[in-house]
Amino acid sequence: MPIISTRELVKTYSLGEVEVRALRGVSIDIESGEFLSVIGPSGSGKSTFMHILGCLDRPTSGQYVLEGKDVSKLSKNELAVIRNRQIGFVFQGFNLLTRTSALDNVELPLLYGGNGMKTAERRQRAQEALKEVGLADRANHHPNQMSGGQQQRVAIARALINEPSIVLADEPTGNLDSRTSVEVMDIFQALNTDRGITILLITHEQAIAEYGSRIVGFRDGRIVADNQTKARRIARDEMAALPLDVDVEPANQPSVTTTIGA
Ligand code: ADP
Ligand code: MG
């Protein structure tokens, strides 16, 4: 049984008189443990597709079966419960609370889970998630004291905190330089191969898509290509050869902006 199965998903946005047909009949089966890259030009419906798969939005028509359960017609509250338990999200802009520590950011989803966890247990879980992304020593830093790559790793830790079976990532390397992008892709590959998490990653860059084991192409709200590939593996020496991430540590920089020409 596929972990995700859609049939003829259609999503139409109404903007007054105008109708935008963002998805025009998307049918796909995704097996548990796949690392699927979705690639396509801007406006082709990738994010809309991810929002529906992530139970953030509902299709206008069509069927969506998630882990054997038809979720196409569930209420918003029912979708929220499923989302919180089964799905982790990573976004291009990190979506972190900037005035809160990395640890608090990672812990946040546990507060909404209704899991009855005690404070100490939540802290412990968040600390472990940060360790998993290599940021154990940055737990008390705020996002604005971290480089883009570090912020994205905090976001990944947050996505993992509820132990989801699926991680959905929308252009997660869109704001990162090439070396940091590779480091982030390395984390996604490890989550997939070591922990068996199903990954669906959206990108408009072919080189990033190639880290997946299956590449699905979107155009005008439809799937136009679907290929199994040999996932490009990240070699340590390949990473070392890339230009170094300008690992800005704004914490060590003066916070006062200099007025030029004053
Ligand atoms: P992509 O992620 O591939 O760039 P999107 O799924 O964001 O594409 O958008 C697909 C189409 O749907 C675009 O034409 C976009 O303008 C439109 N669209 C997306 N979200 C909305 C919305 N909330 N309201 C109206 N139109 C939208
Ligand atoms: Mg998008």
Side-chain angles (χ1 to χ4, degrees):
M1 182 185 77
I3 192 165
I4 284 171
S5 182
T6 74
R7 290 294 174 269
E8 292 299 321
L9 280 186
V10 169
K11 180 71 182 182
T12 307
Y13 295 106
S14 300
L15 298 173
E17 311 267 284
V18 187
E19 296 228 306
V20 179
R21 294 166 71 202
L23 296 181
R24 301 170 182 237
V26 173
S27 302
I28 193 169
D29 287 331
I30 301 172
E31 300 299 325
S32 176
E34 279 198 276
F35 187 147
L36 186 131
S37 299
V38 173
I39 191 163
S42 178
S44 58
K46 307 183 296 297
S47 294
T48 301
F49 179 56
M50 193 190 97
H51 288 159
I52 293 173
L53 293 191
C55 299
L56 290 165
D57 203 355
R58 282 177 296 192
T60 307
S61 65
Q63 192 189 45
Y64 174 23
V65 177
L66 172 63
E67 300 202 58
K69 187 176 164 80
D70 188 342
V71 296
S72 345
K73 292 176 187 71
L74 294 186
S75 72
K76 281 190 175 159
N77 287 341
E78 289 168 320
L79 286 177
V81 171
I82 290 181
R83 189 164 72 224
N84 205 47
R85 282 204 201 121
Q86 292 174 246
I87 300 164
F89 294 94
V90 180
F91 299 97
Q92 175 171 3
F94 321 133
N95 294 17
L96 299 172
L97 301 177
T98 47
R99 289 165 197 278
T100 311
S101 71
L103 195 67
D104 285 340
N105 268 286
V106 173
E107 206 185 324
L108 204 60
L110 292 178
L111 297 173
Y112 299 121
N115 47 40
M117 249 183 230
K118 298 240 162 38
T119 311
E121 191 182 352
R122 288 199 305 264
R123 297 255 114 181
Q124 170 80 18
R125 281 268 292 263
Q127 194 74 54
E128 278 163 17
L130 279 174
K131 193 174 163 202
E132 187 163 3
V133 298
L135 288 176
D137 58 340
R138 289 296 198 320
N140 297 316
H141 283 57
H142 289 195
N144 60 6
Q145 299 169 324
M146 296 176 143
S147 68
Q150 288 168 338
Q151 290 183 61
Q152 195 57 297
R153 278 146 65 193
V154 172
I156 294 172
R158 180 185 55 189
L160 295 175
I161 197 75
N162 276 319
E163 300 178 333
S165 46
I166 303 168
V167 167
L168 303 177
D170 195 350
E171 307 263 8
T173 63
N175 287 358
L176 305 177
D177 62 57
S178 56
R179 176 165 179 162
T180 312
S181 298
V182 174
E183 285 171 6
V184 164
M185 294 312 294
D186 190 35
I187 294 176
F188 283 121
Q189 279 197 337
L191 294 177
N192 180 248
T193 53
D194 304 348
R195 290 186 38 182
I197 295 176
T198 305
I199 309 247
L200 191 135
L201 183 139
I202 292 175
T203 181
H204 58 264
E205 287 179 72
Q206 179 66 24
I208 293 292
E210 285 170 6
Y211 291 108
S213 52
R214 177 177 172 192
I215 303 180
V216 167
F218 262 68
R219 185 172 287 274
D220 297 332
R222 289 196 182 88
I223 291 178
V224 293
D226 186 348
N227 298 297
Q228 303 283 341
T229 67
K230 196 173 177 309
R232 181 167 147 201
R233 292 283 148 202
I234 297 153
R236 297 294 135 187
D237 50 349
E238 173 195 350
M239 186 133 63
L242 286 166
L244 203 64
D245 175 23
V246 192
D247 197 6
V248 206
E249 293 287 351
N252 301 328
Q253 291 173 358
S255 55
V256 184
T257 329
T258 329
T259 316
I260 299 165

